[in-house]
């Protein structure tokens, strides 16, 4: 203790004075979030991850939408192969990509909000405990509530374009204008409550499973299970995405019904009540109707989550290296 006191006193002499700071330096602007990244870098990484994920898996999402839309034309079967053949036969392969522009417009901003809110909440809730699964789940719920407010309107446009051909809507903006004029602003958020109720447990299961799987892989193999390995992120993401997708399929069917009501033979509902939609689905198709599209939904979310997490972590690594190189060269970013 005496040695420490002496050492401290040595640095308090007249020869040691505070170094004056440059007049243009603002230290508060240099404060970074955890992982050595700025808030805007989380947003860009999330935006890139979301767009890559949804664009790559869009044809599978189109098949799922057709299977979930009761009364949609021309598909009556719940078979994946039948849905695929029906779409290609009626519209060609281009039919698998109808609505992809709406997806691009919604996925980028929504995922920017999603991942930045998740990282911010995870830092605050975890209390510096990286293995806190409850904090990961709670952070995921907060992230989905915020991102769904951004994504839901364009998701509605996307699904209507997926179901209809060019005789229904000519494109994204035609769909937006007609829905606004004929159904009002509320139509864009008709499924918001259902989406949040679906995505809250989906995200809680997803993030908790992802973090647990990532930790488990790291314990199995110190080489291939490195926390920084993209293979680990992809594998953990695929497991989390598949499990969360299957658990929440019934609410996803309800969401599709609310977003596509009145399009291509789909039912219209007097209210946006989730229970009314549930009853209609069960009445028309039995309880199996609540599981319509579970297979393509799982086939979508498993690889989509793998793509999303690996892309997100790769983008974060890019920004970390960029920041490190800037710091080592004395550059302020």
């Amino acid at each position: 203790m005496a040695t420490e006191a002496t050492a401290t006193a040595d640095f308090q002499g007249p020869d040691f004075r505070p170094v004056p700071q440059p007049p243009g330096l603002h230290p508060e602007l240099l404060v970074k979030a955890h992982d050595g990244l700025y808030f805007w870098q989380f947003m860009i990484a999330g935006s890139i991850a979301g767009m890559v994920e949804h664009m790559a898996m869009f044809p599978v999402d189109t098949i799922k939408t057709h299977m979930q839309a009761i009364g949609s034309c021309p598909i009556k079967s719940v078979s994946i192969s039948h849905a695929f053949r029906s779409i290609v036969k009626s519209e060609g392969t281009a039919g698998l990509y109808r609505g992809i522009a709406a997806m691009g417009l919604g996925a980028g901003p929504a995922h920017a909000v999603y991942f930045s809110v998740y990282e911010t909440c995870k830092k605050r809730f975890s209390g510096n405990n990286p293995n806190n699964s409850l904090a990961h789940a709670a952070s995921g719920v907060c992230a989905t509530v915020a991102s769904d407010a951004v994504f839901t309107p364009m998701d509605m446009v996307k699904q209507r374009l997926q179901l209809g051909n060019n005789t229904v809507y000519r494109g994204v903006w035609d769909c937006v204008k007609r829905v606004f004029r004929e159904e009002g602003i509320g139509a864009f958020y008709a499924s918001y409550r259902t989406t949040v109720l679906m995505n809250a447990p989906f995200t809680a299961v997803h993030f908790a499973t992802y973090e647990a799987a990532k930790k488990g892989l790291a314990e199995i193999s110190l080489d291939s299970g490195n926390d920084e390995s993209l293979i680990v992120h992809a594998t953990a993401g695929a497991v989390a995405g598949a499990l969360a997708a299957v658990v929440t399929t019934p609410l996803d069917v309800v969401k599709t019904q609310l977003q596509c009501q009145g399009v291509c033979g789909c039912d219209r509902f007097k209210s946006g009540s989730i229970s009314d939609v549930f009853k209609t689905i069960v009445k028309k198709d039995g309880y199996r109707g609540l599981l319509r599209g579970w297979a393509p939904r799982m086939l979508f979310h498993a690889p989509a989550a793998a793509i999303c997490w690996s892309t997100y972590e790769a983008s974060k690594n890019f920004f970390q290296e960029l920041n490190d190189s800037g710091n080592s060269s004395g550059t302020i970013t």
Side-chain angles (χ1 to χ4, degrees), residues 59-326:
V60 181
D61 184 64
T62 299
I63 292 171
K64 184 215 70 169
T65 297
H66 276 266
M67 292 174 65
Q68 290 181 339
I70 299 174
S72 65
C73 57
I75 296 166
K76 305 297 182 184
S77 172
V78 294
S79 163
I80 296 177
S81 60
H82 187 277
F84 174 78
R85 289 196 303 268
S86 298
I87 296 170
V88 173
K89 182 179 179 180
S90 61
E91 295 188 70
T93 55
L96 295 170
Y97 291 91
R98 279 186 57 80
I100 195 169
M103 174 62 78
L105 290 171
H111 278 73
V113 172
Y114 185 85
F115 280 104
S116 56
V117 171
Y118 173 70
E119 294 287 358
T120 302
C121 291
K122 185 172 76 169
K123 180 184 179 183
R124 178 166 296 184
F125 296 161
S126 64
N128 296 322
N129 177 12
N131 300 321
N132 190 335
S133 297
L134 182 61
H136 298 151
S139 300
V141 172
C142 292
T144 198
V145 171
S147 65
D148 283 342
V150 177
F151 188 60
T152 296
M154 276 301 163
D155 189 47
M156 182 277 294
V157 173
K158 181 263 298 182
Q159 287 201 308
R160 291 195 178 205
L161 290 172
Q162 285 176 322
L163 284 183
N165 50 38
N166 288 326
T167 61
V168 181
Y169 299 112
R170 292 193 301 272
V172 174
W173 299 119
D174 179 58
C175 181
V176 170
K177 288 185 291 185
R178 286 183 55 185
V179 170
F180 181 76
R181 183 174 64 248
E182 297 170 8
E183 303 176 48
I185 190 77
F188 292 95
Y189 284 95
S191 69
Y192 180 66
R193 285 183 302 170
T194 308
T195 302
V196 171
L197 286 174
M198 174 187 71
N199 283 341
F202 176 94
T203 308
V205 172
H206 183 105
F207 277 110
T209 304
Y210 170 76
E211 298 288 353
K214 190 171 67 171
K215 179 186 175 186
L217 288 170
E219 292 175 352
I220 292 173
S221 173
L222 295 178
D223 296 326
S224 61
N226 190 320
D227 188 54
E228 298 300 320
S229 170
L230 293 182
I231 296 177
V232 170
H233 293 300
T235 305
V239 172
L243 177 61
V246 172
V247 170
T248 57
T249 293
L251 284 168
D252 190 50
V253 176
V254 173
K255 184 203 77 168
T256 298
Q257 289 293 302
L258 286 170
Q259 293 192 156
C260 298
Q261 51 186 315
V263 178
C264 214
C266 290
D267 292 320
R268 280 197 176 278
F269 302 96
K270 294 180 179 179
S271 71
S273 168
I274 296 174
S275 61
D276 287 347
V277 181
F278 262 106
K279 291 175 184 177
T280 301
I281 294 171
V282 172
K283 182 179 180 180
K284 294 187 69 172
D285 205 30
Y287 286 101
R288 67 176 185 176
L290 295 173
L291 294 176
R292 274 180 174 261
W294 73 267
R297 178 167 163 78
M298 187 178 70
L299 290 174
F300 173 89
H301 280 286
I307 293 169
C308 185
W309 278 109
S310 55
T311 304
Y312 178 62
E313 295 296 338
S315 300
K316 282 173 59 178
N317 289 340
F318 169 78
F319 283 124
Q320 286 169 341
E321 291 176 4
L322 186 67
N323 292 341
D324 291 340
S325 64

